[in-house]
Amino acid sequence: MDPVDVVRRFNAAVNGQDLAELASLMSDDHAFVDTDGGTVRGKQACLDAWRGFFTAVGDYRNVFSELTVHDDIVTVSGHSVCSRPELAGPALWTARVRGALVDEWRVYEDTPQVRRELGLPQQV
């Protein structure tokens, strides 16, 4: 399966708050890493975290503008939409994809330094 398609499906599940679809796209050892480096490991722990997040922040969604693939990593630029200002605005993501499953979903602040680290062009 195309890694970009896997990442688009994963994001559609996030945007639709579809825990069953998220589960079907996560590896058993899936990890979620937030912008501060906080990590949740394991499919069930990640599903529990998403469930809590969806309950707390019902209007959150990600909008992707560009996706690139290098080896098993899909790098995404875009923005999040949410009524909570701290969760809205420009963002970057990476997803490590193995076959049809996401091993790691990571969220980054969109800064010049992170863009350099991820090999993305700087914002104009």
Side-chain angles (χ1 to χ4, degrees), residues 76-99:
V76 182
S77 60
H79 65 278
S80 296
V81 177
C82 186
S83 59
R84 292 176 52 178
E86 67 274 16
L87 297 175
L92 302 170
W93 298 265
T94 57
R96 189 170 358 105
V97 178
R98 181 181 58 207

Side-chain angles (χ1 to χ4, degrees), residues 9-78:
R9 285 180 57 209
F10 192 92
N11 189 58
V14 170
N15 289 347
Q17 300 184 13
D18 186 340
L19 291 170
E21 179 69 0
L22 281 172
S24 76
L25 294 166
M26 288 180 184
S27 64
D28 288 338
D29 58 346
H30 180 87
F32 172 84
V33 184
D34 67 22
T35 56
D36 295 325
T39 304
V40 178
R41 292 195 188 282
K43 181 189 276 192
Q44 192 56 56
C46 288
L47 290 170
D48 292 344
W50 278 115
R51 184 179 295 106
F53 182 78
F54 295 151
T55 299
V57 189
D59 66 342
Y60 178 86
R61 66 184 176 92
N62 299 321
V63 179
F64 289 174
S65 54
E66 187 172 343
L67 295 91
T68 57
V69 181
H70 183 71
D71 295 329
D72 63 346
I73 303 289
V74 178
T75 303
V76 182
S77 60

Side-chain angles (χ1 to χ4, degrees), residues 65-66 77-79 90-92 110-113 115-116 120-124:
S65 54
E66 187 172 343
S77 60
H79 65 278
L92 302 170
D110 189 345
T111 66
Q113 178 181 340
R115 283 182 165 273
R116 274 190 301 280
L120 295 173
Q122 296 298 318
Q123 295 288 81
V124 179

